[in-house]
Amino acid sequence: MFTEDAPIFQQLAARIADDILAGVHPEESPVPSATDLAVFHQINPATASKGVNVLVDLGALYKKRGIGVFVATGARELLRTNRRAEFRREYVAPLVREARALDIDRATLRQMIDDEESSQQ
Amino acid sequence: MTNAIDMQAVTRRFGESTALDAVDVTVPEGSICGLLGRNGAGKTTMMSIIAGQDRPSSGRVEVLGQEPFENESVLAMLSFVRDNQRYPDDYRLHHVLRIAPDFAPHWSEEVAAELVDGFRIPARTPIKKFSRGQLSSVAIVLGLASRAPVTLLDEPYLGLDVTARALFHDMLLRDYAAHPRTIVLSTHLVQESEALFDRVVILDGGTVRVSSEAEDVRDLAFTLSGATDVVQGLTARSTVLSTHTVAGLMSATVWGALDDESRTTARDLGARVAPASLHELVAAIGEHRPEPADLALHEKKGVRA
Amino acid sequence: MSAVISTVKLHMNRRETTFLVPLYITGMVAVFSVLISLVFWRSGSQPGSAEWIQGSQSNPGIVYALLSFLVYLGVSSVATTFPFALTLGATRRSFTVGTLLWAAITSAYVAAILAVLSVVERATDHWFVGFYVFDVYVLGAGDIGRLLPIVFLGVLTALTVGGVFASAWVRFGARGPQLIAAGVVIVIAAALIVVVPAAAEIAEAFQLWWLAVAALAAIALSSTGTWLLLRPAVVR
């Protein structure tokens, strides 16, 4: 479910974004309504709408009045661009910080990244 | 947004003891409000007064713009089943289901039927012989099927198993989305229910310690953990609600926000800072014995929204 | 007004207790009366003789049997029903009025049943064998004009007196009914102290309608008391 690290609406928005990036919701297809999301995740409907609206404001989702909310064309590219900006802050910065705390030098760190990459292929 | 519930300076005394002390609480229409606090904090008394089953010793309470006490039109719009509700002698489930719609103009047979089925409430057993969980189930049926514009749920989880709690959340959210109303829910199961709330009221010893949007609760307090002397040093001039220590380590829940300077200092000294979660905040408030000065401090910080 | 009707329905909701239990009790009393009559018969008394009729008609069993149940019904109509009525959304006012209305309906119902049975009893020449169950002195000795007010007022008195005791319990806890009981005892004792010297003359001048007036007074006092007790009552 949700963690306590960030407000629920942000976590919900991130989760929908994950699903769009993973192709669960293709572009121009509908995403679940805020009500369905609220019931599914057992969260307040207002919180769910707020989460959806984060992505609407971003331009990744758009609302068709009276029909529902759909994934915008180009949403995946948009989200990917956004995520890349976050990537450094969310993943690289802690990685470097932790490496420093553990006295892992730069060369070793690079080697670890290379090894990890080849092992995942 | 108009307020479904508006309590101003509500005090309720029972003889020598003060159950509610100058309570100011507003709940906007169309919200799910968590009413939290320890046993004896005044939650049921507050709900009783909102429901017109009790009257404040002083102060004013309005529900949907009118005083609820002895007010037929407000009472028809209101549902409140207390946690220790009594039922007439030799009542069974069908007695409740037969009479409740008479008093609840928005009663939904479908909601009632679905809940009775899901909770597996026995039809033949006298209510007097119901288990704690079965009594809670009946109270939830009355609360949700009434579709009352103001619905007060007093400890709805008592004795409910995991399946029943999920069913309750499911029905609550589905029906709330289809038929918006104002719901006040008191509970001790904070972690389990906090995602439901868009507003939160925390009572302690009859006074309101927090009344705010659920989202803003994250900014009300923080937890600081690390070496005892570091944590003590950083919190020396703050209102510390509760502390836990173990072998040189300390974790403190502290009112207010941490300024950037202290945050940097904390990190440099190896202490961890995190926003206090709702259940941490409720627990810490319950533990804290406030000094009068502390309370004044909260007022200043605008905690009472 | 609608909440008053709903309160009446709330009481009627216990259908078996309200409508059937009085019938069961009446039936039981009939069975017992018949058994007692059989004992007299076997001991040599002749059905239809003056002595037999006199003895049978003096049997007040029906009154005692119904009375205790009706007082219980009156108590439970407030003690456990009031908290639930508030939960459903009744006001204290509509609950009190609705409860009185329900008590009147129940009284009329019991009066009607006993009237019908009494008529049937007389029409069948006392169940063809001379058994007196309803054609008894306490019920007006077969006079429907007397039976109806006697039963109606008697039942209503039992229900409302039960109600006021329960209201005192709801309001003050266990001490409430004790205080009322003590008060009633004191009032009756005081009345006796005043009246006793003239007891013989009063007994001679006694008229049945005095009882009706006493019942009406008890009903009025009980209902007013119930309202005064419940108006500020808090459920906890």
Side-chain angles (χ1 to χ4, degrees):
Chain A
M1 282 295 282
F2 296 101
T3 65
E4 317 226 305
D5 299 335
I8 292 171
F9 77 93
Q10 284 176 7
Q11 296 185 53
L12 179 67
R15 197 170 293 198
I16 300 170
D18 285 346
D19 287 346
I20 294 172
L21 285 171
V24 176
H25 308 303
E27 292 179 359
E28 295 306 324
S29 76
V31 296
S33 70
T35 302
D36 290 342
L37 288 168
V39 173
F40 182 75
H41 294 295
Q42 307 220 323
I43 59 176
N44 190 288
T47 311
S49 314
K50 206 166 166 184
V52 170
N53 284 340
V54 168
L55 295 180
V56 171
D57 293 345
L58 198 68
L61 298 177
Y62 69 96
K63 290 179 179 173
K64 279 191 198 167
R65 279 188 68 142
I67 304 178
V69 183
F70 291 76
V71 181
T73 303
R76 290 179 74 172
E77 196 44 48
L78 177 68
L79 290 171
R80 227 175 258 140
T81 312
N82 259 283
R83 284 280 170 100
R84 282 188 194 119
E86 270 174 38
F87 180 74
R88 178 165 173 184
R89 179 164 33 102
E90 301 270 326
Y91 296 93
V92 180
L95 180 82
V96 171
R97 202 179 312 135
E98 184 71 6
R100 195 178 298 153
L102 298 176
D103 276 339
I104 298 172
D105 65 33
R106 192 176 294 181
T108 316
L109 182 60
R110 286 219 177 103
Q111 187 58 48
M112 281 178 169
I113 294 172
D114 288 347
D115 290 352
E116 184 61 31
E117 207 156 66
S118 47
S119 80
Q120 284 195 9
Q121 266 159 13
Chain B
M1 217 188 300
T2 44
N3 285 322
I5 300 167
D6 186 356
M7 304 180 83
Q8 289 189 10
V10 169
T11 295
R12 179 65 168 108
R13 287 183 210 89
F14 294 106
E16 293 287 291
S17 66
T18 304
L20 290 181
D21 190 3
V23 163
D24 292 321
V25 165
T26 54
V27 181
E29 260 177 42
S31 59
I32 305 181
C33 174
L35 179 57
L36 311 170
R38 302 188 62 173
N39 287 329
K43 302 187 294 293
T44 301
T45 303
M46 185 169 142
M47 287 184 157
S48 276
I49 287 176
I50 295 168
Q53 294 199 5
D54 194 357
R55 224 187 329 191
S57 309
S58 66
R60 203 173 52 81
V61 55
E62 278 186 3
V63 176
L64 302 170
Q66 296 180 55
E67 290 223 4
F69 192 80
E70 286 296 89
N71 187 329
E72 218 163 88
S73 62
V74 172
L75 295 179
M77 298 292 118
L78 213 149
S79 165
F80 169 52
V81 185
R82 58 182 54 245
D83 62 353
N84 58 354
Q85 180 64 45
R86 277 187 306 226
Y87 295 87
D89 294 6
D90 43 68
Y91 250 45
R92 286 159 212 270
L93 178 66
H94 71 268
H95 290 104
V96 174
L97 298 180
R98 192 161 62 203
I99 193 64
D102 256 273
F103 288 88
H106 306 295
W107 183 265
S108 161
E109 297 287 349
E110 295 76 43
V111 171
E114 197 175 324
L115 287 172
V116 164
D117 186 52
F119 286 137
R120 301 187 182 167
I121 307 177
R124 295 184 168 274
T125 314
I127 291 184
K128 212 183 287 180
K129 298 201 173 133
F130 272 15
S131 70
R132 184 57 254 182
Q134 289 166 335
L135 288 172
S136 296
S137 303
V138 176
I140 289 172
V141 172
L142 282 169
L144 293 188
S146 73
R147 285 191 176 153
V150 175
T151 301
L152 312 173
L153 299 165
D154 190 12
E155 298 284 358
Y157 299 98
L158 284 182
L160 287 192
D161 59 48
V162 186
T163 315
R165 294 205 291 268
L167 171 66
F168 166 55
H169 283 177
D170 201 73
M171 192 51 135
L172 172 77
L173 290 168
R174 257 193 299 141
D175 208 53
Y176 170 80
H179 303 271
R181 59 196 107 158
T182 306
I183 293 172
V184 179
L185 190 160
S186 77
T187 182
H188 295 303
L189 295 188
V190 182
Q191 269 171 298
E192 180 132 1
S193 55
E194 64 180 307
L196 301 176
F197 307 143
D198 49 22
R199 281 199 74 83
V200 169
V201 171
I202 304 177
L203 289 178
D204 190 57
T207 60
V208 177
R209 300 295 301 278
V210 170
S211 173
S212 84
E213 301 265 333
E215 232 163 66
D216 301 338
V217 168
R218 296 174 60 83
D219 303 329
L220 293 179
F222 62 93
T223 59
L224 188 65
S225 48
T228 302
D229 53 342
V230 172
V231 172
Q232 277 175 341
L234 284 166
T235 57
R237 282 178 296 127
S238 314
T239 306
V240 178
L241 292 173
S242 73
T243 56
H244 294 275
T245 46
V246 53
L249 294 175
M250 178 182 254
S251 154
T253 306
V254 186
W255 261 118
L258 192 65
D259 55 78
D260 288 342
E261 194 187 324
S262 310
R263 193 177 291 271
T264 314
T265 318
R267 190 187 297 158
D268 291 348
L269 293 172
R272 270 186 303 280
V273 183
S277 66
L278 184 58
H279 68 96
E280 283 168 336
L281 183 60
V282 173
I285 285 175
E287 222 174 284
H288 185 226
R289 290 284 120 239
E291 307 287 324
D294 290 348
L295 283 173
L297 193 69
H298 305 154
E299 300 267 11
K300 210 165 59 196
K301 285 182 182 162
V303 166
R304 293 167 175 222
Chain C
M1 192 58 200
S2 68
V4 172
I5 303 297
S6 300
T7 303
V8 174
K9 285 170 82 176
L10 170 62
H11 289 301
M12 300 282 195
N13 201 11
R14 298 164 68 200
R15 287 173 195 166
E16 184 176 1
T17 315
T18 307
F19 297 115
L20 294 183
V21 174
L23 291 184
Y24 300 157
I25 292 174
T26 307
M28 286 302 290
V29 171
V31 169
F32 281 127
S33 301
V34 167
L35 288 176
I36 291 166
S37 298
L38 286 174
V39 170
F40 279 119
W41 199 351
R42 294 288 290 171
S43 67
S45 190
Q46 271 305 310
S49 68
E51 170 203 12
W52 170 277
I53 293 173
Q54 160 80 25
S56 308
Q57 285 200 312
S58 307
N59 175 14
I62 185 75
V63 174
Y64 291 130
L66 275 178
L67 207 60
S68 49
F69 166 72
L70 291 166
V71 171
Y72 153 76
L73 193 58
V75 168
S76 73
S77 75
V78 174
T80 51
T81 310
F82 176 69
F84 188 57
L86 285 194
T87 289
L88 290 174
T91 59
R92 289 153 178 79
R93 191 180 330 106
S94 55
F95 176 81
T96 310
V97 176
T99 303
L100 183 60
L101 197 56
W102 161 80
I105 293 169
T106 305
S107 306
Y109 169 73
V110 175
I113 288 174
L114 293 186
V116 167
L117 289 171
S118 173
V119 166
V120 171
E121 181 168 295
R122 286 171 69 83
T124 58
D125 200 12
H126 302 89
W127 315 105
F128 310 108
V129 281
F131 289 157
Y132 290 69
V133 183
F134 308 103
D135 180 7
V136 291
Y137 292 130
V138 283
L139 296 183
D143 181 351
I144 297 298
R146 281 188 174 188
L147 180 143
L148 287 176
I150 288 173
V151 176
F152 180 82
L153 290 175
V155 173
L156 194 52
T157 306
L159 291 175
T160 51
V161 166
V164 75
F165 273 90
S167 307
W169 180 74
V170 167
R171 174 79 184 279
F172 296 114
R175 259 178 316 150
Q178 290 168 7
L179 286 176
I180 296 195
V184 169
V185 168
I186 291 169
V187 169
I188 291 179
L192 282 178
I193 291 165
V194 175
V195 164
V196 154
E201 294 149 56
I202 289 174
E204 205 153 305
F206 178 81
Q207 299 282 317
L208 198 58
W209 61 264
W210 290 13
L211 275 182
V213 171
L216 282 171
I219 292 163
L221 270 176
S222 300
S223 304
T224 314
T226 297
W227 167 232
L228 292 176
L229 286 165
L230 290 186
R231 193 172 49 171
V234 168
V235 178
R236 283 221 259 167

